[in-house]
Amino acid sequence: MKNIILTADRPTGKLHVGHYVGSLRERLRLQNEGDYDKLFVMIADAQALTDNAGNPVKVRNNIIEVMLDYLAVGLDPNKTIFFIQSDIKALSELTMYYMNLVTLPRLLRNPTVKAETKLRGFDHEKGLPVGFATYPISQAADITAFKANIVPVGEDQLPMIEQAREIVKSFNNLYAETLVLPEALLPTNKACLRLPGTDGKNKMSKSLGNCIYLSDEKEVVAEKIKNMYTDPTHIKISDPGHIEGNVVFTYLDAFCKDEHFKKYLNEYKNLDELKEHYKLGGLGDMKIKKFLNQVLEEILFPIREKRKEYAKNIPYILDILRKGNKIANEAADKTLKEVKNAMGISYFDDQFLNEQKEKYEN
Ligand code: TRP
């Protein structure tokens, strides 16, 4: 069997460089290698609503933003199927049946849900929306509906894939071998697993204002890099510097290649040499920031330009989604049918008819 790849993003904001190295770049590689039957990219609007019920406008407004980011980085509608979660009705039905296979304590133990619960301030007073607490189950539906075996995600999504695997195993065990066991696919470069925000805080997040967006203008990117957190003990250029926790170096780890040195900073052969000099002292932050800016600009410039082009043709984007939704609905409906068959709750087939006839007519 060839691979079926599925991945998704919540449309709660524009995508940033953390998304790029954490997941988009991986999807692009898979897309361009072409070793798959189907590659699905879903806009998870229903999941976004699980913690944005009071702000559907935010979700609505980010559908096109996220699509523009996808197309701008090079995801290609001729190779990738884009669709919107809320349009795929089979997902809700699958979720309903999977809910019976997961216990409440198991759900609440999910480390990602736990961390996000804290982050969103769902405390005793505010309460935890049931839809939010159960979103790992609906995510299992997202994955299994399309029989995805490969799910490229960021590191924070590993507990979701684990939970989906548990659901698959218990479904197949209880009823019949129906669902496909998914595997998470993470970027191999460690710096890409969890790219920090420009302030050095753990994660990029819109509310912390520490993101570099794929759509940021050149001047905005330059300003963000200028203010980037480095090493607070590296005060004079001659002071020895630290690499650990230094955001500029983490970004260079994630983005730069040896050829960037040839092009922009040829007194060093590679990143190791640059790091050595920084640690010894005598290398200023201005210089490494300028280099990072050049490296990032090389990546972001074409993305930004393409994004502007696609933004001129919104009907084309809606058309892509309309077509994708159709394909996604067909695939998910087919799985739902199989699921209901396996559970024995398809009532309008010959088997049921014959069974019941036998029971009542004899
Ligand atoms: N939870 C994912 C995120 O926040 C989005 C998502 C929804 C997803 N459904 C999915 C990712 C299915 C992979 C597969 O980024």
Side-chain angles (χ1 to χ4, degrees):
M1 189 198 75
K2 268 213 169 181
N3 297 317
I4 296 184
I5 304 166
L6 176 127
T7 183
D9 296 283
R10 297 182 194 184
T12 52
K14 296 177 178 184
L15 302 182
H16 50 60
V17 295
H19 292 114
Y20 183 74
V21 292
S23 165
L24 293 172
R25 199 160 61 177
E26 206 66 20
R27 292 177 208 178
L28 272 175
R29 181 180 65 76
L30 291 164
Q31 173 189 277
N32 296 333
E33 282 173 5
D35 183 23
Y36 58 83
D37 249 354
K38 289 206 173 91
L39 169 55
F40 291 101
V41 173
M42 180 180 84
I43 300 190
D45 64 333
Q47 187 176 108
L49 285 168
T50 63
D51 60 346
N52 286 286
N55 199 357
V57 172
K58 174 166 121 186
V59 175
R60 175 187 171 85
N61 284 342
N62 280 300
I63 303 280
I64 297 293
E65 295 289 359
V66 169
M67 274 303 286
L68 288 172
D69 287 328
Y70 286 159
L71 297 171
V73 299
L75 287 174
D76 173 352
N78 292 316
K79 299 177 180 162
T80 294
I81 301 160
F82 299 98
F83 68 99
I84 300 186
Q85 186 184 24
S86 63
D87 200 51
I88 315 300
K89 296 193 179 59
L91 296 178
S92 313
E93 256 184 272
L94 289 172
T95 303
M96 187 159 186
Y97 301 129
Y98 296 169
M99 280 189 170
N100 306 326
L101 307 177
V102 181
T103 66
L104 208 48
R106 170 64 185 92
L107 252 193
L108 299 177
R109 241 190 357 254
N110 184 308
T112 301
V113 173
K114 260 175 142 170
E116 289 176 347
T117 297
K118 220 167 142 196
L119 213 68
R120 308 283 190 280
F122 291 138
D123 51 16
H124 269 302
E125 209 167 301
K126 205 167 159 191
L128 185 64
V130 172
F132 180 78
T134 53
Y135 91 74
I137 304 177
S138 109
Q139 188 156 332
D142 301 339
I143 296 168
T144 55
F146 303 95
K147 304 237 164 114
N149 63 323
I150 299 180
V151 187
V153 282
E155 199 183 24
D156 62 318
Q157 293 296 305
L158 285 180
M160 300 298 158
I161 310 303
E162 191 47 45
Q163 196 144 16
R165 288 171 63 89
E166 286 174 29
I167 291 173
V168 166
K169 284 181 197 162
S170 77
F171 186 98
N172 287 349
N173 244 331
L174 264 175
Y175 306 116
E177 210 44 56
T178 313
L179 303 174
V180 174
L181 203 60
E183 303 266 357
L185 184 71
L186 295 178
T188 46
N189 179 341
K190 241 181 103 209
C192 299
L193 285 178
R194 194 173 298 215
L195 199 74
T198 52
D199 57 358
K201 293 228 170 63
N202 241 341
K203 227 183 138 176
M204 276 203 187
S205 117
K206 197 175 180 182
S207 52
L208 292 170
N210 61 0
C211 307
I212 296 177
Y213 293 100
L214 295 174
S215 49
D216 276 346
E217 287 299 335
K218 186 175 175 180
E219 304 72 41
V220 175
V221 176
E223 187 66 20
K224 286 178 178 175
I225 293 176
K226 209 178 101 201
N227 295 321
M228 201 173 249
Y229 180 87
T230 56
D231 169 12
T233 68
H234 184 244
I235 298 164
K236 289 192 288 273
I237 292 184
S238 55
D239 290 339
H242 296 87
I243 306 296
E244 195 79 358
N246 185 322
V247 183
V248 174
F249 280 103
T250 310
Y251 278 45
L252 287 174
D253 275 328
F255 289 102
C256 99
K257 302 196 184 110
D258 291 354
E259 65 224 43
H260 290 130
F261 282 92
K262 263 197 215 100
K263 220 158 151 185
Y264 303 117
L265 203 61
N266 64 11
E267 62 231 76
Y268 304 92
K269 247 212 285 328
N270 53 38
L271 191 51
D272 287 337
E273 273 190 24
L274 189 74
K275 285 180 180 173
E276 279 319 306
H277 191 185
Y278 192 79
K279 283 196 265 191
L280 276 172
L283 175 57
D285 282 359
M286 285 274 281
K287 191 158 171 177
I288 56 169
K289 283 181 171 178
K290 182 174 168 217
F291 177 53
L292 173 63
N293 199 354
Q294 286 166 317
V295 171
L296 266 187
E297 193 50 27
E298 190 174 309
I299 297 165
L300 293 178
F301 176 77
I303 295 178
R304 197 183 293 132
E305 294 304 301
K306 266 211 225 160
R307 203 179 191 281
K308 286 178 189 158
E309 276 312 302
Y310 284 115
K312 291 180 190 155
N313 198 352
I314 301 303
Y316 168 70
I317 293 178
L318 286 172
D319 226 38
I320 294 172
L321 284 169
R322 202 175 292 119
K323 288 192 184 117
N325 285 0
K326 187 160 177 282
I327 299 170
N329 262 317
E330 280 162 13
D333 283 344
K334 183 163 173 278
T335 304
L336 177 63
K337 212 170 190 174
E338 292 167 15
V339 159
K340 290 177 81 168
N341 275 338
M343 293 172 72
I345 56 169
S346 308
Y347 304 120
F348 296 99
D349 56 13
D350 290 347
Q351 196 192 339
F352 185 72
L353 177 68
N354 293 335
E355 241 173 57
Q356 301 301 313
K357 263 169 72 173
E358 188 141 324
K359 184 170 161 200
Y360 290 100
E361 290 177 2
N362 293 328

